[in-house]
Amino acid sequence: MNNLRAEISRPLLYEVKNDMHDALEKEGEHEHGPHCGHEHGEISDGDEQPKALLIGYGDIGSRLAPMLVEIGFAVTGVRRNANSASEIEGVVVQAGDVSHADTWAKLMQEQWDLIVVTLTPSEYSTEGYHQGYVVPMQQLVQHLPAESDTLILYVSSTSVYGQREGEWVDESLPAEPSSASGEQLLAAENTLRAGLAGKKAHLAIVRAAGIYGPGRERMYRAISEGTYTITPVWHNRIHADDLAGALEHLALQHFMGATLEEVYIACEDEPLFGEDYVRRIAAQIGLDPATVVAKLPRSNEVGPRGSKRLSNMRLRKSGWQLLGDE
């Protein structure tokens, strides 16, 4: 997924702890004592294992979980129906509704080094987005102890940007949604920001472009069946595995001592315009792009998602790589 993972020879987080321990000792900020438990700056695999909590444990969470296990985390996933989750070695899946206080009260009996939030709406309406995103984040900030030195990675959406004229968008631009769902997604982000102010936790928001991959074939099916309408808008995408890789990458950066930005846009390098997007998908599913483009209906209407070109340069400059880079 990236160069760091390729170099792992044993659980990386133990190596990170050792490096940090050695650095503190060298700077005179740490001395070995009877309660230190370390010899020669070494933290062994027998030390307490770092813990990751994956909230909304679905497609992205199940892709991220084995990556986190590989680098040394004990992983717990939380979803409404635990029985429908696939079994992954090293991952415990619990049933829970994260819009309810009692779920969070139970979860916060543990101390978490990492919390990754990947939510979905309870239904595709304004209230569904509010209940699916805003309410769980209200509960998180209410129940997270002020002294918890936790990294929270929150997956949001680039629909919080309302541009409609094909403008280039990066993290320096203010989020101004043009849809009700985008407004609720931004409200959830702001709930986290406000609720974590004054607490010890660290926050990084990952705004994902349109996610594609296995299990997300709606667009492929519409193009294959000839029901997709070509419109003059820019399309931005990210593969589900690349999004999971971005989350793992940011977690690694944090635990290796880097200071994360508050917001990252996660997308592929190249936005695709109108029929170019259709041509790309047609080729991927084995259809003749020219024939498909000629037969599909067209419209000049810009839909509720708008039209913008997203930049992933902040994430790229941090060292993140796409699957296609390998």
Side-chain angles (χ1 to χ4, degrees), residues 151-167:
L151 171 63
I152 298 174
L153 296 177
Y154 177 75
V155 177
S156 184
S157 167
T158 54
S159 64
V160 299
Y161 298 110
Q163 282 78 3
R164 302 180 62 81
E165 304 295 331
E167 302 96 326

Side-chain angles (χ1 to χ4, degrees), residues 5 40 52 62 70 97 116 126 132 138 145 147 168 178 188 201 204 237 240 244-245 248 256 270 274-275 297 314:
R5 291 188 70 230
H40 310 295
S62 63
E70 182 180 349
D97 187 335
V116 182
T126 301
Q138 291 172 339
E147 67 277 9
W168 276 101
S178 60
R237 306 198 302 165
E248 181 215 27
M256 291 178 71
E270 181 187 9
E275 67 178 46
R314 174 175 287 181

Side-chain angles (χ1 to χ4, degrees), residues 237-302:
R237 306 198 302 165
I238 184 167
H239 193 281
D241 284 335
D242 282 319
L243 178 55
L247 295 169
E248 181 215 27
H249 167 75
L250 292 174
L252 281 172
Q253 292 295 305
H254 171 80
F255 288 104
M256 291 178 71
T259 300
L260 300 184
E261 301 284 353
E262 185 177 75
V263 177
Y264 294 88
I265 290 174
C267 63
E268 294 179 344
D269 296 335
E270 181 187 9
L272 295 171
F273 186 73
E275 67 178 46
D276 291 333
Y277 173 64
V278 176
R279 290 177 184 274
R280 175 74 60 85
I281 292 180
Q284 289 175 349
I285 59 179
L287 301 177
D288 177 62
T291 301
V292 170
V293 167
K295 291 183 177 180
L296 288 179
R298 294 174 180 263
S299 170
N300 289 324
E301 181 181 356
V302 176

